[in-house]
Amino acid sequence: MPEGSAVCASPISLNVGCFYALSTLLNRMVIRHYPGEEVNAGRIGLTIVLSGMAGALISGIWLDRTKTYKQTTLVVYIMSLVGMIVYTFTLSLGHLWVVFVTAGSLGFFMTGYLPLGFEFAAELTYPESEGTSSGLLNVSAQIFGIAFTIGQGQIIEHFGTKAGNLLLCSFLFLGAIMTAFIKADLRRQQASLENEQTVSKPPSVPALPLLNSEQHLTSLLSRKGDGLCKASCWHFQTGGCNPSTASCWGSLLSVSVMQNP
């Protein structure tokens, strides 16, 4: 497994595994407390899906704007735990609308956690391929989902729905603790920032000599030879080189910039 995947695989797998178990056994739990409400049990499942779509969209937009990977992931994880606890203790109250509300909140936070968890994992495992890390995390989440579904199903059969949901609450609590101790090593963000700084850094320009005196021009003439002087600085009356003329200044400036050693 890529470096960093083992650190974040367990919290993500625990959360997603609990969501898979809850979704699979939802109809069984609802019918157990509300006999004859098969239609509403399906509607509760639809509520979880729709609220989860909204949660995934909102959490993704928030993460893109704030880049607070660990903070956002931890908050959503804790809210998933709170929602699971509320769902556990309100399922048997006898009010079906309460189940709609609590199940909707669970779908919002648990499904909203998915893009957060996988993006955080991509940050921790960089420069490994995002496809590799996401694939490994999906496999581990499926394994936990199967184990939780079987385990919760057996507990519901022998001890009731509350005991089965408390099992999921305990694993969500464990996952929240593990998330809190994950170091926010945002390697992908750091690499992107370094690339931007490299691209935006201006190229170094060598310092050019200051041509601000007639003596320097005369020195330049002596280095470049009489050919330069005769080209633009020859004084016909005196028969010598006169670097004080305007045409001579322009020529010497151009030659100094292009040919100065």
Side-chain angles (χ1 to χ4, degrees):
M1 182 174 288
E3 182 183 0
S5 293
V7 177
C8 55
S10 295
I12 295 175
S13 301
L14 290 173
N15 188 295
V16 179
C18 290
F19 178 73
Y20 288 160
L22 175 69
S23 301
T24 303
L25 300 174
L26 176 66
N27 185 77
R28 182 176 175 181
M29 289 187 286
V30 172
I31 298 303
R32 191 180 184 94
H33 292 280
Y34 303 92
E37 295 290 349
E38 289 84 0
V39 176
N40 281 324
R43 291 172 179 170
I44 293 173
L46 177 62
T47 302
I48 293 177
V49 172
L50 295 178
S51 61
M53 293 170 59
L57 178 62
I58 293 174
S59 62
I61 295 175
W62 172 263
L63 192 63
D64 287 338
R65 292 186 176 182
T66 62
K67 306 299 182 184
T68 53
Y69 287 84
K70 179 179 178 178
Q71 296 87 334
T72 304
T73 302
L74 181 59
V75 169
V76 174
Y77 211 121
I78 293 175
M79 293 305 300
S80 299
L81 172 61
V82 173
M84 190 67 205
I85 294 174
V86 174
Y87 171 81
T88 299
F89 290 97
T90 58
L91 181 62
S92 58
L93 292 180
H95 302 288
L96 197 59
W97 67 270
V98 176
V99 182
F100 273 93
V101 174
T102 56
S105 65
L106 268 178
F108 182 88
F109 291 109
M110 280 190 165
T111 307
Y113 175 82
L114 293 179
L116 301 178
F118 285 107
E119 283 296 309
F120 194 25
E123 290 289 336
L124 296 177
T125 58
Y126 185 86
E128 295 291 341
S129 171
E130 295 181 14
T132 301
S133 61
S134 298
L136 292 173
L137 291 174
N138 264 318
V139 170
S140 62
Q142 296 289 343
I143 294 174
F144 275 91
I146 294 173
F148 288 164
T149 301
I150 296 175
Q152 186 184 18
Q154 292 296 320
I155 292 176
I156 290 175
E157 183 68 27
H158 294 89
F159 302 101
T161 58
K162 183 175 292 186
N165 288 328
L166 286 176
L167 173 69
L168 300 185
C169 291
S170 63
F171 283 111
L172 286 175
F173 178 76
L174 176 61
I177 296 298
M178 296 175 66
T179 303
F181 283 98
I182 294 178
K183 182 180 179 181
D185 186 12
L186 306 182
R187 302 178 183 178
R188 187 176 58 177
Q189 293 296 317
Q190 183 64 29
S192 177
L193 181 61
E194 292 176 356
N195 290 336
E196 291 179 359
Q197 292 176 348
T198 302
V199 172
S200 61
K201 184 179 180 180
S204 58
V205 179
L208 297 176
L210 295 176
L211 301 179
N212 55 0
S213 67
E214 185 172 326
Q215 290 79 6
H216 183 76
L217 292 175
T218 305
S219 175
L220 178 64
L221 285 171
S222 64
R223 295 201 309 267
K224 300 304 178 182
D226 291 338
L228 174 63
C229 180
K230 292 179 180 180
S232 58
C233 305
W234 188 261
H235 196 279
F236 293 97
Q237 295 180 356
T238 62
C241 189
N242 182 13
S244 63
T245 61
S247 61
C248 180
W249 274 92
S251 298
L252 290 175
L253 286 171
S254 301
V255 173
S256 177
V257 171
M258 292 185 294
Q259 300 182 2
N260 187 62

